[in-house]
């Protein structure tokens, strides 16, 4: 049994391929238990703090239900209602919360906040989303893909759109670690950070993954999965019109799905989606769309992270 007790979950950079697969295997096990109405007790007596600077549906519900399913006691902490970097430093807040809670989730803007929470609190801290990374989303994506295809080996995933956002960053890391061919496709101004790409290229050398970073949508040929996110992330609303004009060629529509050359290509999205923008309603509501399977799997993979790093 792999032991990850006491570790924080901030970015998939911090985990080996074997550890990522362990999260997925555990998520499958916990999902089966929930379907069979078997309650867990791994988090009995554990108090879980859930810090949210950004609004949330899937992340908040998943962490809350996951904690409760395993006997934990989740407490919601709105970022604007606690002293998070305002009247006291992030580190001081972390030291207080670390004496009251057994684990903390953070969903917010600056990635450095979750890093300070982890270093100063002395307890496991889980990244529910920052501007840089969204690692729990990548785990849910991988669980969904593996459930559908029966394997992760030999697959190709193509992300289209804003290629330098947190979802694209974490997907790139995860695929590179696991040996999955991955492409990030978007306008040249919205491609991933060069340092991150260089890091992932090193991961890919070890795993055998092929990484492509391009503005050419023909990269979708041979893809098993087409993936996208909203064109304008939280906090960037003023850029909506600009993004729409440059990202329109990267919309996932039925024509692009056919261009993969595979009849069984699936569509994924982290949600919420703006139908008619990054994806057409025809694709979103069509048989290739597994977005709600992926949304459900946020619960099971988040539960796996909590159980693996904090559970008894």
């Amino acid at each position: 049994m792999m032991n990850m007790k006491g570790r924080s979950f901030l970015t998939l950079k911090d985990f080996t391929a074997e550890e990522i697969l362990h999260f997925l295997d555990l998520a499958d096990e916990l999902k089966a238990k929930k379907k069979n109405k078997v309650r867990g007790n791994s988090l009995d007596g554990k108090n879980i703090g859930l810090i949210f600077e950004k609004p949330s549906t899937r992340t908040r519900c998943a962490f809350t239900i996951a904690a409760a399913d395993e006997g934990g006691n989740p407490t919601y902490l709105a970022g604007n209602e606690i002293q998070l970097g305002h009247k006291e430093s992030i580190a001081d807040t972390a030291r207080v919360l670390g004496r009251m809670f057994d684990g903390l989730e953070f969903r917010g803007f600056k990635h450095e906040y979750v890093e300070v929470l982890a270093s100063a609190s002395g307890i496991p801290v889980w990244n529910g989303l920052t501007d840089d990374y969204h690692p729990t989303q990548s785990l849910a994506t991988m669980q969904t893909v593996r459930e559908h295809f029966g394997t992760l080996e030999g697959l190709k995933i193509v992300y289209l759109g804003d290629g330098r956002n947190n979802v694209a960053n974490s997907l790139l890391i995860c695929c590179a670690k696991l040996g999955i061919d991955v492409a990030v496709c978007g306008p040249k101004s919205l491609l991933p950070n060069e340092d991150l790409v260089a890091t992932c290229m090193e991961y890919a050398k070890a795993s055998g993954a092929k990484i492509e970073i391009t503005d050419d949508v023909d990269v979708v040929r041979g893809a098993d999965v087409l993936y996208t996110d909203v064109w304008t992330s939280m906090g960037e609303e003023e850029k909506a019109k600009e993004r729409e004009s440059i990202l329109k060629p990267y919309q996932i529509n039925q024509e692009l799905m056919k261009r993969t050359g595979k009849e069984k290509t699936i569509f994924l999205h982290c949600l919420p989606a703006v139908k008619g923008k990054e994806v057409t309603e025809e694709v979103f509501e069509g048989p290739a769309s597994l977005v709600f399977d992926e949304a459900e799997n946020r619960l099971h993979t988040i539960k796996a992270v909590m159980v693996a790093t904090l559970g008894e």
Side-chain angles (χ1 to χ4, degrees):
M1 181 81 175
M2 194 168 290
N3 186 358
M4 289 188 272
K5 295 293 186 290
R7 290 177 62 181
S8 288
F9 184 82
L10 309 185
T11 167
L12 292 172
K13 289 180 181 179
D14 300 332
F15 294 88
T16 66
E18 292 74 22
E19 289 169 335
I20 294 170
L21 291 172
H22 175 69
F23 285 133
L24 297 180
D25 291 342
L26 181 56
D28 288 346
E29 179 185 328
L30 294 169
K31 182 174 183 176
K33 286 182 177 179
K34 187 169 180 67
K35 296 299 182 186
N36 289 315
K37 302 187 185 306
V38 178
R39 290 188 62 84
N41 58 9
S42 181
L43 300 176
D44 271 0
K46 305 291 187 183
N47 288 297
I48 311 297
L50 307 176
I51 304 172
F52 283 84
E53 285 188 320
K54 290 185 176 183
S56 171
T57 299
R58 282 149 293 278
T59 303
R60 180 176 176 179
C61 293
F63 270 101
T64 301
I65 295 169
D69 277 355
E70 288 293 323
N73 178 38
T75 299
Y76 175 76
L77 303 167
N80 62 353
E81 294 177 355
I82 61 175
Q83 312 299 335
L84 194 67
H86 299 295
K87 292 185 178 180
E88 70 179 2
S89 69
I90 302 296
D92 285 354
T93 298
R95 289 191 288 181
V96 170
L97 297 179
R99 291 177 178 230
M100 298 183 180
F101 290 99
D102 300 289
L104 290 173
E105 176 273 350
F106 174 80
R107 177 184 175 92
F109 294 94
K110 295 182 180 180
H111 189 72
E112 66 190 69
Y113 278 22
V114 77
E115 291 178 327
V116 174
L117 285 169
S119 63
S121 66
I123 59 176
V125 173
W126 310 296
N127 180 3
L129 175 147
T130 62
D131 285 346
D132 293 342
Y133 304 108
H134 198 358
T136 61
Q137 181 65 45
S138 289
L139 291 184
T141 296
M142 293 305 146
Q143 184 179 24
T144 307
V145 170
R146 193 168 72 167
E147 285 176 339
H148 181 76
F149 291 104
T151 184
L152 294 174
E153 294 181 12
L155 298 181
K156 177 180 177 180
I157 298 178
V158 179
Y159 176 96
L160 298 110
D162 180 0
R164 32 102 274 173
N165 77 3
N166 46 26
V167 172
N169 289 345
S170 289
L171 184 69
L172 189 59
I173 296 166
C174 192
C175 288
K177 291 252 184 179
L178 294 180
I180 300 167
D181 290 349
V182 60
V184 177
C185 180
K188 291 180 179 178
S189 60
L190 293 175
L191 292 177
N193 176 280
E194 290 182 0
D195 289 341
L196 176 64
V197 173
T199 297
C200 289
M201 287 292 189
E202 290 300 312
Y203 299 150
K205 285 181 183 178
S207 70
K210 179 181 179 183
I211 294 177
E212 297 176 85
I213 309 296
T214 182
D215 62 350
D216 186 351
V217 295
D218 275 343
V219 76
V220 303
R221 296 190 186 280
D224 300 284
V225 182
L226 296 189
Y227 197 116
T228 193
D229 190 6
V230 292
W231 287 344
T232 306
S233 298
M234 283 182 276
E236 296 183 333
E237 287 76 11
E238 76 283 356
K239 299 179 180 179
K241 288 186 178 179
E242 172 195 340
R243 291 285 171 76
E244 188 173 336
S245 66
I246 64 174
L247 284 166
K248 193 171 183 180
Y250 302 94
Q251 180 191 69
I252 298 182
N253 48 43
Q254 203 59 47
E255 179 186 349
L256 198 66
M257 294 290 288
K258 289 178 180 177
R259 199 184 297 191
T260 67
K262 291 189 171 183
E263 293 183 0
K264 296 184 178 180
T265 299
I266 63 171
F267 167 72
L268 295 176
H269 192 303
C270 62
L271 302 182
V274 184
K275 286 172 267 187
K277 301 296 184 183
E278 71 270 12
V279 59
T280 61
E281 180 141 3
E282 181 182 17
V283 171
F284 186 91
E285 300 292 351
S289 177
L290 298 183
V291 296
F292 295 107
D293 289 351
E294 185 180 22
E296 179 194 336
N297 284 338
R298 292 294 306 288
L299 167 62
H300 309 303
T301 48
I302 281 171
K303 189 187 295 185
V305 169
M306 297 173 74
V307 168
T309 58
L310 182 62
E312 301 299 335

